[in-house]
Amino acid sequence: MASSSRNHQLILGALGLLVLFVVGRFIARQLEIRAFKRKHGCLPPPREPQPEHIIGLAAWKRLRRERRERITMKETTRRAKELGYTSSLVMAGNNFTVTCDPVNLKAMLATNFNDFGLGPREVPLGPVLNGGIFISDGEAWQHSRALIRPAFTRAQVADLSSLEEHTQALLSRIPKADGATVDLKPLFYNMTLDSATEFLLGHSVHSQNSLPGSPARNFLDAFDYAEEILQKRSELGRFAWLLRDKKFDEACKTIKAFTDGFIQEVLRGENKMTRYNLLGEIAGACRDPTKIRSEILGVLLAARDSNASVLSSCFYEMARNQSIWNKLMAEVESVAGRELDYEILKDMKYLKAVLNETLRLFPPLARNVRYARKDTVLPRGGGPDKQSPVFIAKDSPIYYSVYALHRLPEFWGPDAEVFRPERWLDDKVKPGWAYLPFNGGPRLCLGQQNALIEASYTIVRLMQEFKRIEPRDNQPWTEHLSIGMSNEHGCKVAFWRSK
């Protein structure tokens, strides 16, 4: 009896010490945070309206509703204009900071780059990307970037020989009859997948004309499905393992098996490729097939979706703005009879303006997230005047909206929501960190020039074939969010070969 009582007392004593330890740690941490805030002059940013700020269940439900109604980006922009460019909220028990302030974005992506990382991306994205450049930080990221960088030299970017083949495949899918309706969005996604796989693997999957059940079609279907699920997993973050999906598991196996076939051929020296490709470049420096696959699939995910989204949105707008189409057509006709090359495309000023405006209003990577790697600050957004630094605790997420940033009247004028390429012809327009379609700082997209040249070439070639365009639906541009962003309703248009 005495022994039992003594054990009971020991247990209670141990529990008491544990409680004291936890409370002590909490108090010490709060004092540490208070001292840090005082030292840096931090003040809290505006809070998003919530019925409670402990669990944040209402905010989570609101986010789900916005996703269902496809208004996430629109609502994010509205809140930024009403509350301020930087705000905070509690969701699922976590504190979140949301910003679209270019000063803060510069700090996160460049000047204080080492204070922020990608956080727990390995859990949601690992089944496909598994340690590649888009989910790595620190030395691992530096190594990945060094492997990939050589593939994006100007010499490789300027090689347009393969693009014409993919353009011809695209043209073959557009009805020959004038005025026939065609949805360009899936055709652009096929074309950019074909172009990207040729650049990355040395062989195009030729998805544009592949038959159902073929290896190329199976890969395309698996890739599309996996991308949709990856976005859902990304929203769950480190809890992505809760999302069970057998079809996703099978899609991942299909993607890996298809890619591994090309990788093994290269590693065995059996693949005699005639064109430069990223696979051959990486295999010359790395013999780990898993590492190679991760880098290839990461670049494929970014390259394919970004270009297809930009092209779809560009033709969506031009079909509804005949004056823009006519002005660009005049520039296209000015280079008639010349073989398109890097220099010609680069010198087409209005074409560049149209692409810049498309990337401004419809950035493919519309939002992103960083996690604080230590206690740090965002330069501004706090206090009554929203000019004081904002404290960011270690491991806290900071969501930033490029979509909202690109639509702020302070930087783009009262017509910030209007598609007007002419704004880019004004030499006074120098948006700096208010324009981030390709990210910024050390993680600036390596494929930026490659994407712009491919999009430019495709636009010019289509406008050389077709002289008139009309929209074939009256649907507003509506966000579809996966890993990137595109128009939910596609790009339904009609072409005419003569004016």
Side-chain angles (χ1 to χ4, degrees), residues 175-239:
K176 290 182 169 47
D178 284 352
T181 299
V182 59
D183 186 354
L184 291 176
K185 180 181 174 181
L187 303 188
F188 283 142
Y189 272 80
N190 289 344
M191 186 196 79
T192 53
L193 179 66
D194 292 344
S195 173
T197 49
E198 180 163 15
F199 173 68
L200 297 173
L201 301 173
H203 296 276
S204 171
V205 297
H206 297 298
S207 64
Q208 196 73 271
N209 295 299
S210 61
L211 298 174
S214 66
R217 178 58 57 178
N218 291 340
F219 174 77
L220 173 62
D221 293 341
F223 197 82
D224 285 343
Y225 186 77
E227 187 178 345
E228 292 293 326
I229 302 303
L230 285 177
Q231 174 55 33
K232 295 179 180 179
R233 290 173 61 89
S234 295
E235 292 175 1
L236 292 172
R238 58 174 56 90
F239 299 107

Side-chain angles (χ1 to χ4, degrees), residues 132-408:
I133 188 171
F134 292 105
I135 60 176
S136 299
D137 278 319
E139 291 184 4
W141 165 73
Q142 292 175 4
H143 181 246
S144 292
R145 195 169 177 91
L147 283 175
I148 293 172
R149 184 190 295 275
F152 294 99
T153 63
R154 175 175 168 178
Q156 307 308 331
V157 170
D159 180 11
L160 302 176
S161 57
S162 68
L163 275 181
E164 181 60 27
E165 297 174 21
H166 303 304
T167 302
Q168 289 298 328
L170 169 68
L171 289 169
S172 73
R173 298 292 306 279
I174 297 176
K176 290 182 169 47
D178 284 352
T181 299
V182 59
D183 186 354
L184 291 176
K185 180 181 174 181
L187 303 188
F188 283 142
Y189 272 80
N190 289 344
M191 186 196 79
T192 53
L193 179 66
D194 292 344
S195 173
T197 49
E198 180 163 15
F199 173 68
L200 297 173
L201 301 173
H203 296 276
S204 171
V205 297
H206 297 298
S207 64
Q208 196 73 271
N209 295 299
S210 61
L211 298 174
S214 66
R217 178 58 57 178
N218 291 340
F219 174 77
L220 173 62
D221 293 341
F223 197 82
D224 285 343
Y225 186 77
E227 187 178 345
E228 292 293 326
I229 302 303
L230 285 177
Q231 174 55 33
K232 295 179 180 179
R233 290 173 61 89
S234 295
E235 292 175 1
L236 292 172
R238 58 174 56 90
F239 299 107
W241 56 272
L242 292 171
L243 183 62
R244 304 290 184 178
D245 188 319
K246 290 184 178 180
K247 185 177 178 181
F248 173 71
D249 295 338
E250 290 301 316
C252 292
K253 291 178 183 178
T254 299
I255 293 167
K256 291 176 180 179
F258 186 88
T259 312
D260 286 348
F262 292 102
I263 294 172
Q264 291 301 327
E265 284 184 7
V266 170
L267 293 178
R268 291 194 301 264
E270 298 173 359
N271 195 321
K272 307 300 181 184
M273 294 171 284
T274 58
R275 283 194 172 120
Y276 179 91
N277 61 88
L278 181 60
L279 173 55
E281 182 71 41
I282 295 178
C286 173
R287 308 301 288 178
D288 180 352
T290 302
K291 174 68 173 174
I292 295 173
R293 186 215 304 140
S294 298
E295 304 300 353
I296 293 290
L297 290 177
V299 177
L300 176 59
L301 192 66
R304 184 254 186 148
D305 283 26
S306 295
N307 269 8
S309 172
V310 169
L311 287 166
S312 299
S313 295
C314 181
F315 278 89
Y316 173 93
E317 284 292 343
M318 288 198 295
R320 288 157 175 79
N321 293 277
Q322 198 62 46
S323 62
I324 294 173
W325 172 272
N326 292 339
K327 189 177 291 188
L328 183 55
M329 179 62 73
E331 187 172 63
V332 168
E333 290 176 344
S334 73
V335 300
R338 301 166 63 186
E339 184 177 353
L340 293 178
D341 60 21
Y342 177 87
E343 294 299 332
I344 290 175
L345 294 171
K346 184 172 68 69
D347 290 339
M348 297 180 70
K349 291 181 171 54
Y350 196 68
L351 173 61
K352 183 179 179 180
V354 168
L355 277 173
N356 283 346
E357 188 71 344
T358 304
L359 286 162
R360 184 185 72 83
L361 279 180
F362 312 108
L365 193 59
R367 72 271 193 260
N368 213 323
V369 63
R370 291 291 185 269
Y371 286 77
R373 303 176 72 179
K374 62 179 183 179
D375 287 348
T376 186
V377 301
L378 295 179
R380 72 180 183 187
D385 62 357
K386 303 169 187 173
Q387 297 300 309
S388 297
V390 174
F391 171 71
I392 305 294
K394 180 182 178 182
D395 296 327
S396 296
I398 308 97
Y399 283 88
Y400 63 95
S401 174
V402 175
Y403 182 97
L405 170 71
H406 288 180
R407 291 169 180 254
L408 296 177

Side-chain angles (χ1 to χ4, degrees), residues 16-86:
L17 288 173
L18 178 60
V19 170
L20 285 173
F21 175 76
V22 171
V23 171
R25 285 284 301 272
F26 176 78
I27 293 174
R29 175 60 176 153
Q30 295 308 306
L31 291 173
E32 181 183 22
I33 290 174
R34 181 181 296 181
F36 187 96
K37 289 180 177 179
R38 187 183 302 115
K39 177 182 177 181
H40 294 87
C42 296
L43 292 174
R47 276 186 169 186
E48 295 190 9
Q50 294 182 253
E52 51 84 17
H53 293 87
I54 299 175
I55 298 176
L57 181 60
W60 184 81
K61 289 181 177 179
R62 184 200 71 201
L63 177 66
R64 303 305 303 167
R65 176 185 60 80
E66 291 174 356
R67 283 297 307 273
R68 287 194 304 271
E69 296 177 6
R70 305 193 182 281
I71 57 173
T72 302
M73 294 295 97
K74 184 182 294 185
E75 286 299 291
T76 301
T77 305
R78 179 187 63 79
R79 286 191 288 270
K81 292 177 180 178
E82 292 179 358
L83 289 174
Y85 300 164
T86 302

Side-chain angles (χ1 to χ4, degrees), residues 453-472:
I453 289 299
E454 180 175 9
S456 298
Y457 185 90
T458 304
I459 292 169
V460 172
R461 286 293 291 112
L462 282 177
M463 296 186 74
Q464 287 176 335
E465 295 288 331
F466 304 105
K467 304 305 180 184
R468 187 155 65 92
I469 187 173
E470 285 184 5
R472 279 302 165 92

